[in-house]
Amino acid sequence: MNKDYYDILGVNKGASKDEIKKAFYKLAHKYHPDKKEGDEAKFKKVNEAYQVLSDDGKRSKYDQYGSGFENVGQGYGGEQQGGFGGFDFSGFQNGNADYDFGNLNDIFSDFFGGGMGGVRKEQKRGRDISTEIQISFSDSIFGINRKVLITKTSNCLTCHGSGAKTGSKMETCKHCNGQGQIRESKRTIFGNISNTKICETCAGIGEIPKEICETCRGKGVLRREEEVSIIIPAGIRNGEMIRMTGYGEAVSKGTTGDLYVKINVTPHAVFKRDGSDLVMNLNLKLSEALLGTEYTIQTLDGEIKVTIPEGVSINEILRVRGKGVPVSKNKRGDLLIKLNIKLPFQKISVAIF
Ligand SMILES: [Zn+2]
Ligand SMILES: [Zn+2]
């Protein structure tokens, strides 16, 4: 089934994107099924042609292989989403000012959601919130579970977000007469388009509780202090952000936002971080460097004994394996001990003759 998309849009093969867009607008307007002399079959064809020719990648494949280059029927054909599955809105959203058809986004989302069978469901979402916490260097290396109190809009604990008084009966929503949807008719460039929206009063359920929850006054959400447990992973760095999905602000009959936690790490007096290694300085006397010695070092894991071999040189680094930053469950970086060798203070004697 090789279709000539150029023919359908009435443009020639070398047509510019602009010409294609213009031709499509004109034909879409003409054939839109909500118009008196509309023609749904033709409208679909025009739409299909535009989807391909407006996309550089698809267009070049089409030019090469014809309309069989992809399973065109897949995203198309009128069966899914009540009529215009696969409709490409992108051309409209960044459509330029040359074509003043009013609010195209609005019109096309109306097609998509409302008039063609489905109902546009605009899910409300609560605000994202952020907080900062200060942790010790050691906690940043090994990870920790911290609990913080955050005052935010949260689900009501009494009604668990339903807004209904416990045991309340439900009654038909008066706003939508129990339909859960509200139909409205709109005049557009394509003629009158009827649109169906979710009822905001009952959130599409068609029923509302007879008696509302007293704690939240039926809203299902309220501002309160909530304890949030934050799992800080091992090896986190100063300034890193943890995103906690669904721990932001709740919203009445919608999705909860996210919580962002910024981690501030207090620097350590002895250890510094270098990738997955920990670095520390150890001051040695010259005699210790020459003869070798043993040192007890307080690491983040507790005390360890380190043997300084004899004859170490200035700025030599000792590596203690596996005492650094955890990089995976069974793997850790190393502890690097930088040896600073102090040369004995040389007294300058001034001889007076
Ligand atoms: Zn409540
Ligand atoms: Zn309603």
Side-chain angles (χ1 to χ4, degrees):
M1 50 167 228
N2 214 338
K3 300 167 193 164
D4 190 339
Y5 291 145
Y6 293 101
D7 208 39
I8 291 168
L9 290 184
V11 295
N12 62 41
K13 270 207 146 184
S16 69
K17 284 190 110 168
D18 241 28
E19 287 173 302
I20 288 169
K21 195 190 259 180
K22 226 176 229 172
F24 168 64
Y25 281 160
K26 208 174 131 195
L27 293 169
H29 191 174
K30 187 172 167 192
Y31 294 131
H32 188 271
D34 276 10
K35 296 210 61 166
K36 229 185 204 166
E37 56 281 11
D39 183 327
E40 189 166 341
K42 278 188 181 158
F43 184 82
K44 283 178 179 176
K45 267 189 188 164
V46 164
N47 176 34
E48 181 184 336
Y50 180 68
Q51 273 189 62
V52 173
L53 298 187
S54 61
D55 179 310
D56 287 339
K58 286 183 186 169
R59 185 177 174 181
S60 83
K61 273 188 195 149
Y62 169 75
D63 287 344
Q64 243 176 308
Y65 307 111
S67 63
F69 76 90
E70 62 172 8
N71 192 357
V72 180
Q74 205 174 34
Y76 184 72
E79 268 70 58
Q80 65 173 97
Q81 285 284 334
F84 295 95
F87 198 101
D88 180 12
F89 297 100
S90 59
F92 292 93
Q93 274 154 17
N94 47 35
N96 59 54
D98 295 347
Y99 316 107
D100 185 16
F101 287 123
N103 189 345
L104 281 167
N105 286 344
D106 200 33
I107 293 163
F108 277 87
S109 57
D110 281 352
F111 286 171
F112 199 41
M116 301 302 165
V119 175
R120 179 156 44 133
K121 192 154 191 169
E122 264 172 26
Q123 184 69 282
K124 280 190 281 180
R125 189 173 182 276
R127 276 195 317 138
D128 290 339
I129 51 174
S130 65
T131 188
E132 290 187 29
I133 53 178
Q134 190 80 34
I135 60 169
S136 72
F137 186 81
S138 176
D139 288 342
S140 80
I141 301 302
F142 300 116
I144 190 177
N145 197 344
R146 281 282 282 271
K147 287 185 166 68
V148 289
L149 284 172
I150 295 173
T151 303
K152 62 185 177 89
T153 305
S154 298
N155 265 341
C156 172
L157 291 177
T158 310
C159 63
H160 304 287
S162 76
K165 190 174 179 177
T166 317
S168 163
K169 289 205 174 93
M170 300 296 278
E171 64 180 7
T172 308
C173 172
K174 290 185 183 79
H175 194 64
C176 62
N177 291 321
Q179 297 301 300
Q181 305 173 357
I182 295 184
R183 280 183 87 83
E184 53 189 28
S185 197
K186 233 185 212 173
R187 271 191 64 80
T188 74
I189 56 155
F190 299 127
N192 277 329
I193 294 181
S194 74
N195 180 36
T196 310
K197 275 187 180 154
I198 291 269
C199 171
E200 283 194 8
T201 310
C202 61
I205 297 159
E207 288 185 319
I208 51 168
K210 227 171 174 167
E211 289 169 281
I212 59 167
C213 168
E214 279 160 14
T215 315
C216 62
R217 292 190 193 138
K219 287 203 166 91
V221 295
L222 77 171
R223 236 179 134 65
R224 63 179 166 90
E225 200 173 51
E226 193 180 335
E227 190 181 75
V228 179
S229 180
I230 300 163
I231 298 164
I232 300 162
I236 197 156
R237 285 167 192 276
N238 184 37
E240 258 185 73
M241 195 81 95
I242 297 174
R243 177 183 172 176
M244 299 183 65
T245 308
Y247 283 86
E249 295 216 308
V251 69
S252 189
K253 285 154 190 151
T255 347
T256 307
D258 298 337
L259 167 65
Y260 290 86
V261 186
K262 191 184 169 210
I263 306 296
N264 296 319
V265 180
T266 310
H268 196 277
V270 177
F271 300 105
K272 283 198 167 51
R273 196 170 158 178
D274 181 12
S276 59
D277 294 331
L278 290 176
V279 184
M280 68 170 283
N281 288 309
L282 182 65
N283 293 328
L284 289 182
K285 289 181 206 144
L286 181 61
S287 59
E288 293 172 326
L290 291 173
L291 304 170
T293 185
E294 214 170 52
Y295 258 96
T296 301
I297 288 172
Q298 191 66 41
T299 69
L300 296 176
D301 301 75
E303 282 184 355
I304 56 163
K305 274 210 164 70
V306 186
T307 307
I308 315 285
E310 58 176 78
V312 287
S313 51
I314 292 175
N315 293 332
E316 201 165 313
I317 293 171
L318 292 184
R319 186 178 285 268
V320 185
R321 295 216 179 269
K323 296 285 179 202
V325 185
V327 282
S328 65
K329 210 175 173 191
N330 303 311
K331 198 169 173 257
R332 285 178 66 178
D334 302 331
L335 170 63
L336 307 180
I337 305 171
K338 270 191 185 165
L339 303 178
N340 293 329
I341 298 164
K342 275 197 197 156
L343 296 173
F345 184 69
Q346 283 172 346
K347 282 183 187 156
I348 300 164
S349 20
V350 181
I352 300 168
F353 295 99

